[in-house]
Amino acid sequence: MWRHEDELQSMLRDSVDRYAVANDTLVRFRDKRGSADGFDTQSWRDMAALGWTGALLPEEAGGAGLDFLPVLSLAEAIGRNLIPEPFVASAIIAATVLGASNAPAARKLARALVAGEDVIALADQEDIAAIEPAAPHTALQPLDSGGFALTGSKIFVPAWTSETRLLVSATLEGDPVVIAVDARAPGVAAETHRMTDGTICAHLTFDKAALDSDALILRGDDATDAIRLALARGTIALAAQLEGAARRLLSMTGNYLNQRAQFEKPLASFQSVRHGLVSQHLQIELAGASWRSAAASLQQGLTGEAAMRISAAKARCADAAQGMSKAAIHYHGAFGFTEEADIGLYANAILRWASWLGNADAHRGRALNLSREQQPTCN
């Protein structure tokens, strides 16, 4: 096997599997996708008690201080078991930003995240087509009375609830900054949208939202670097979730085809069916190898090479998962289109994860451009 895991990674993966069995996560996913929040706050606290929400955060903030690679085993298993809570948005992306700051406000939010008391989301995107972090138009203005006023807008903010704590990118006197914002603060308005997996995202408008001076948690290159690393990690984690979901769909489809018969033979025994499943299996294996390669490259720093591998991995994992979704629905026949079929839950989640932080086409283009930059020029 090309896939090698150490004892910690196996333990983390097993903890997700045990949690999924004990909490019947598919039933819960189906139940929560129409709820006001799209996930369950008590389950978020349960995940915190297992150490998942603070896995990346430093020990001084109450976290586990784990390296990124083991945490990806959690992401893959969460995708495989279809757990709706915002692990990538909060425990990876937001946690990476918080881990880069020593500001008291960041430490307070980090402790709340470790305890599962808060869901925290990065509000960074302003351009609908952007997959690269860009200088924000959202502006932070100092007030004569002290503190700041925040003006601007953000789109597709994930993990949205009325209780969500925000990490908002902005500019302050020409410098990029990250500032902590309470979603309930005066001057913050949200337009919510339900995504295909049932979770809620929001388009936010900040109309001179008043913030205390201690809400500023990162400034300058520290803010830029933290956001770039957070989005890179989030993209790899989404790729891992996509592989996990695709692998479970493959297993579910194989089991179904072994149960269904035609001409007194299981459907899985027919050569054309078996060839189709083998083709899907190969694509999923390649997808798994791609995000692991990207993660290993990121461990050496967020270089152009790492960025290229990350985009290539997201594109490959999205294609593999969406291809497996189509195949699963095809092989299940008419039943695959029904509301009762669990494969539909996976297909809808895969649609969401495949497009979040950039779809396959966008990342293929980015990977191609980055690969050209890596090639030596000839004089």
Side-chain angles (χ1 to χ4, degrees):
M1 289 287 288
W2 56 264
R3 191 182 285 108
H4 298 287
E5 289 189 335
D6 59 25
E7 184 177 359
L8 175 59
Q9 289 172 295
S10 296
M11 287 174 59
L12 291 171
R13 190 186 299 274
D14 290 345
S15 73
V16 179
D17 291 339
R18 289 193 298 269
Y19 174 86
V21 171
N23 291 274
D24 207 345
T25 52
L26 284 185
V27 171
R28 194 165 60 80
F29 188 95
R30 189 185 298 277
D31 178 57
K32 292 301 175 184
R33 64 180 178 158
S35 67
D37 298 336
F39 63 91
D40 182 49
T41 53
Q42 179 56 54
S43 296
W44 184 243
R45 289 190 289 271
D46 293 341
M47 291 168 63
L50 291 168
W52 302 352
T53 62
L56 278 178
L57 289 166
E59 293 181 8
E60 55 266 30
L66 297 182
D67 289 334
F68 183 50
L69 286 175
V71 178
L72 287 173
S73 295
L74 282 173
E76 187 275 335
I78 284 170
R80 184 159 38 84
N81 289 290
L82 213 59
I83 295 173
E85 282 65 44
F87 178 76
V88 172
S90 208
I92 290 184
I93 296 176
T96 297
V97 175
L98 291 174
S101 173
N102 290 317
R107 284 288 176 255
K108 182 179 179 181
L109 287 173
R111 287 190 292 270
L113 178 55
V114 169
E117 296 170 354
D118 285 332
V119 170
I120 303 167
L122 174 65
D124 176 65
Q125 188 175 356
E126 295 181 350
D127 181 355
I128 194 170
I131 62 172
E132 293 275 10
H137 297 292
T138 300
L140 198 62
Q141 296 291 335
L143 298 175
D144 293 338
S145 58
F148 304 99
L150 182 66
T151 302
S153 61
K154 300 292 181 181
I155 60 175
F156 298 117
V157 178
W160 178 259
T161 75
S162 60
E163 307 293 324
T164 298
R165 304 286 180 167
L166 302 169
L167 304 176
V168 181
S169 63
T171 56
L172 172 62
E173 298 172 337
D175 290 337
V177 296
V178 175
I179 192 158
V181 179
D182 188 331
R184 298 164 294 184
V188 180
E191 177 188 334
T192 60
H193 302 271
R194 189 174 296 278
M195 310 304 286
T196 57
D197 61 350
T199 60
I200 308 296
C201 80
H203 297 343
L204 301 179
T205 301
F206 306 102
D207 184 11
K208 297 181 180 178
L211 304 171
D212 294 335
S213 58
D214 60 2
L216 185 64
I217 65 171
L218 288 167
R219 185 167 185 169
D221 290 342
D222 290 340
T224 301
D225 293 345
I227 290 174
R228 289 179 61 84
L229 179 60
L231 295 178
R233 284 178 167 181
T235 302
I236 299 174
L238 282 175
Q241 284 195 172
L242 284 163
E243 188 230 340
R247 195 169 294 280
R248 176 56 59 86
L249 269 182
L250 178 65
S251 175
M252 293 166 68
T253 303
N255 291 338
Y256 179 81
L257 292 173
N258 274 311
Q259 295 167 9
R260 303 290 292 178
Q262 191 175 51
F263 307 119
E264 300 182 353
K265 292 183 178 180
L267 290 176
S269 67
F270 291 99
Q271 189 176 57
S272 62
V273 173
R274 296 174 72 175
H275 283 182
L277 291 179
V278 168
S279 177
Q280 295 299 327
H281 171 72
L282 289 175
Q283 293 304 314
I284 294 168
E285 287 290 293
L286 289 170
S290 70
W291 69 255
R292 287 170 173 84
S293 173
S297 184
L298 183 60
Q299 292 291 88
Q300 308 304 314
L302 189 49
T303 61
E305 175 74 16
M308 179 191 70
R309 290 180 181 272
I310 290 168
S311 279
K314 179 69 191 305
R316 181 176 285 281
C317 290
D319 282 345
Q322 290 184 296
M324 188 62 237
S325 292
K326 294 175 184 177
I329 293 170
H330 170 75
Y331 287 127
H332 277 75
F335 177 63
F337 290 92
T338 65
E339 180 67 20
E340 292 77 13
D342 286 340
I343 60 169
L345 300 178
Y346 279 91
N348 285 327
I350 285 169
L351 279 174
R352 162 65 170 149
W353 300 341
S355 61
W356 185 19
L357 300 184
N359 63 22
D361 286 344
H363 277 288
R364 262 193 296 272
R366 180 174 183 253
L368 177 61
N369 291 334
L370 288 168
S371 69
R372 288 170 174 166
E373 292 175 6
Q374 304 306 308
Q375 294 174 0
T377 57
C378 298
N379 294 326

